[in-house]
């Protein structure tokens, strides 16, 4: 494909934006200050980590349209919803074992941080999440145009009196993407 338009709602808008970013060292530095190549792991694991944490923008994408995407996080990602998410969403045991083995094989390599324990997308959507900050500071592809559809409930209506300045879930401030 020569040119592509990506559209995404909520978390899908964040995922679409990630397709247009150059990660640099922004995401890897959240979990380790050591270079990836010094990690004691199989070549396959290192390759998987490299693809996960170091990426380039997709040159086919020319436009991203996001709808109610929490670019600055969501207050709905809090201790209660994160706990509830972990009760309903389970990471496959094989992945947990691989993660635990990787940590055991590389003592002191990873930062003592809860990011290695994240098991659901809800955990990473809190406004104070370092992943949200990394997304904000990562370089976006200059050839991509970004469009946001942002909901804002009328404050004079019943729901708007409680959740004004938002679409009911994502605040207009969080859905706003600079540039």
């Amino acid at each position: 494909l020569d040119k592509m338009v990506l559209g995404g709602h909520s978390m899908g808008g964040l995922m679409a934006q990630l397709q247009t970013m150059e990660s640099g060292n922004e995401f890897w530095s959240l979990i380790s200050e050591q270079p990836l190549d010094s990690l004691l792991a199989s070549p396959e694991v290192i390759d998987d980590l490299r693809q996960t944490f170091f990426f380039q923008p997709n040159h086919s994408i020319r436009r991203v349209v996001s709808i109610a995407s929490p670019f600055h996080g969501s207050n709905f990602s809090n201790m209660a919803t994160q706990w509830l998410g972990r009760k309903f969403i389970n990471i496959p045991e094989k992945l947990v074992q691989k993660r635990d083995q990787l940590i055991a094989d590389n003592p002191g390599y990873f930062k003592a941080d809860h990011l290695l324990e994240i098991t659901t997308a809800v955990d990473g959507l809190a406004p104070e999440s370092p992943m949200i900050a990394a997304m904000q500071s990562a370089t976006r592809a200059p050839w991509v145009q970004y469009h946001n559809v942002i909901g804002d409930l009328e404050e004079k209506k019943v729901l708007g009196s409680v959740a004004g300045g938002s679409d009911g879930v994502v605040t207009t401030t969080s859905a706003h993407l600079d540039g």
Side-chain angles (χ1 to χ4, degrees):
L1 294 173
D2 291 331
K3 296 181 182 179
M4 217 178 346
V5 175
L6 292 183
H9 172 256
S10 194
M11 175 65 102
L14 297 177
M15 301 306 292
Q17 185 185 37
L18 278 170
Q19 296 296 311
T20 66
M21 293 182 156
E22 181 176 334
S23 65
N25 204 43
E26 297 291 333
F27 296 92
W28 179 254
S29 67
L30 296 175
I31 64 165
S32 181
E33 295 173 358
Q34 308 293 324
L36 175 60
D37 292 332
S38 67
L39 183 68
L40 179 61
S42 71
E44 294 81 20
V45 168
I46 290 176
D47 189 49
D48 286 348
L49 290 170
R50 183 172 283 112
Q51 289 180 42
T52 300
F53 288 98
F54 299 95
F55 45 88
Q56 300 292 319
N58 182 325
H59 287 278
S60 297
I61 299 169
R62 295 290 187 248
R63 188 177 305 265
V64 172
V65 179
S66 60
I67 303 167
S69 295
F71 293 110
H72 300 280
S74 172
N75 289 326
F76 276 89
S77 175
N78 54 47
M79 288 175 50
T81 58
Q82 291 170 12
W83 175 84
L84 190 60
R86 286 188 291 272
K87 293 298 175 192
F88 289 107
I89 302 168
N90 294 316
I91 193 167
E93 187 60 34
K94 188 173 184 179
L95 286 178
V96 172
Q97 290 171 352
K98 284 183 175 184
R99 177 200 63 206
D100 293 346
Q101 187 64 52
L102 191 62
I103 292 168
D105 290 347
N106 295 277
Y109 186 90
F110 297 102
K111 293 179 180 180
D113 197 333
H114 74 283
L115 290 177
L116 293 173
E117 302 296 324
I118 287 181
T119 58
T120 72
V122 176
D123 294 340
L125 284 178
E128 65 277 359
S129 168
M131 289 185 290
I132 294 290
M135 282 188 70
Q136 295 304 316
S137 61
T139 303
R140 288 185 276 165
W143 61 84
V144 178
Q145 292 182 345
Y146 298 89
H147 306 277
N148 293 344
V149 178
I150 301 172
D152 190 4
L153 295 169
E154 290 184 54
E155 290 189 21
K156 59 186 172 190
K157 303 239 174 161
V158 175
L159 191 54
S161 67
V162 176
S166 77
D167 63 2
V169 176
V170 177
T171 66
T172 56
T173 303
S174 181
H176 176 78
L177 185 60
D178 292 337

